[in-house]
Amino acid sequence: FGILLTLRRPDLVITRMSENAGDFLGAHALEFLGHRLSEFITPSKKKEILEILSDITQGGKVHFDFSWKILE
């Protein structure tokens, strides 16, 4: 199980989320749209994601797992 996120580069703004995101995140997916992913994850996880994205050269798909904890 998981969710699908579409992020705008380079600022990692959430542009799309799967409908089941609310089941995992405890809030409706629309509440996350337009926000930077970094608002919801730790700095170390952001760094990891940016490293993975920098390795993608020609629109390839990537799958990776990470924990999501809403930061307050």
Side-chain angles (χ1 to χ4, degrees):
F1 297 97
I3 62 173
L4 175 69
L5 295 175
T6 302
L7 305 172
R8 182 182 68 214
R9 288 177 27 172
D11 51 1
L12 302 183
V13 168
I14 301 168
T15 59
R16 294 183 192 170
M17 293 184 84
S18 54
E19 289 185 29
N20 68 332
D23 298 337
F24 289 89
L25 305 175
H28 195 278
L30 291 176
E31 295 181 37
F32 297 94
L33 295 179
H35 290 272
R36 292 174 187 249
L37 184 62
S38 60
E39 295 176 43
F40 309 107
I41 61 174
T42 63
S44 63
K45 202 46 79 169
K46 178 184 175 185
K47 181 181 177 194
E48 180 183 343
I49 291 169
L50 289 172
E51 288 172 1
I52 291 168
L53 292 175
S54 70
D55 292 338
I56 300 171
T57 55
Q58 294 192 346
K61 294 181 180 180
V62 65
H63 173 268
F64 57 94
D65 296 315
F66 68 93
S67 300
W68 181 296
K69 179 180 177 188
I70 297 177
L71 303 176
E72 297 185 36

